[in-house]
Amino acid sequence: FFRNFGTNMLSGVTLGQWQQILRDNRFSIDPSFWPRAALITFGALPNSLIALTEQLQFGGAIDRTEIQPPLFILGAWRSGTTHLHNLLAVDQRFAYPNLYQVTSPNTFLLTELATAWLMDRCTPQQRPQDAVKIGVNEPQEEDFAMCALTGQVNLLAWAFPRNATFYDRYMT
């Protein structure tokens, strides 16, 4: 059930960004994935409304926020970057997004307190490939947020494998 209908890298997308992703892929979705695409589509409308509300409520404060110089972690998959990210997250000098924030990048300021618990109940306790702990409050890389925010991430090749060449250009 959760594989087909649970939280995924596009569950936080807005309607406009979802339409752009669909256009980029010529609306080509295999019939077995139509239920998931329908769920993403139905979720995109409230995401859009909440994102607009969030922008109106917090946009000014976000724009005035002073961002400290970032620390970038670069490395190939399976090379220990997640472990390093988790170690740095323990240091209070650093900020990081959590799983809820990267899957709901447009709406987490208004929705996290009320709905993160549900996502946590539906999330496995660890990643299947390496037993790394996961949960809504655990550090998470920004790749998933970029799926919903820009539609220009190599991870979208997982969702649209026939268009992998299009998304491979974002793996630089």
Side-chain angles (χ1 to χ4, degrees):
F1 177 81
F2 291 115
R3 186 177 146 261
N4 289 319
F5 299 105
T7 300
N8 62 70
M9 64 183 147
L10 291 171
S11 58
V13 74
T14 60
L15 191 57
Q17 191 58 52
W18 179 228
Q19 289 172 330
Q20 183 60 52
I21 291 168
L22 290 173
R23 278 193 298 276
D24 288 344
N25 291 282
R26 296 177 242 26
F27 295 87
S28 180
I29 298 173
D30 289 340
S32 62
F33 292 101
W34 287 356
R36 178 172 278 193
L39 188 64
I40 293 169
T41 302
F42 291 128
L45 183 58
N47 286 342
S48 298
L49 296 173
I50 296 169
L52 177 62
T53 303
E54 187 168 287
Q55 180 61 32
L56 291 171
Q57 186 171 348
F58 296 107
I62 292 169
D63 292 342
R64 290 186 302 275
T65 301
E66 184 179 331
I67 306 295
Q68 299 299 315
L71 173 64
F72 293 96
I73 301 171
L74 303 175
W77 294 333
R78 315 297 317 136
S79 67
T81 55
T82 299
H83 182 61
L84 178 57
H85 190 224
N86 289 341
L87 289 173
L88 289 170
V90 175
D91 189 326
Q92 295 299 311
R93 294 176 296 170
F94 299 110
Y96 59 87
N98 65 36
L99 179 62
Y100 188 87
Q101 293 163 353
V102 300
T103 55
S104 301
N106 295 295
T107 61
F108 72 88
L109 292 174
L110 290 177
T111 62
E112 187 171 14
L113 286 176
T115 62
W117 66 270
L118 179 60
M119 181 181 173
D120 202 37
R121 305 264 323 204
C122 301
T123 302
Q125 299 290 311
Q126 62 187 24
R127 298 188 321 192
Q129 69 269 30
D130 56 14
V132 169
K133 183 180 176 183
I134 55 176
V136 294
N137 295 314
E138 298 300 319
Q140 188 57 252
E141 288 100 1
E142 79 293 336
D143 304 49
F144 295 113
M146 300 310 288
C147 290
L149 291 171
T150 70
Q152 299 176 343
V153 180
N154 68 306
L155 295 182
L156 285 173
W158 297 349
F160 299 97
R162 286 190 298 264
N163 207 9
T165 303
F166 175 81
Y167 291 110
D168 284 348
R169 65 186 174 158
Y170 300 117
M171 183 63 162
T172 58

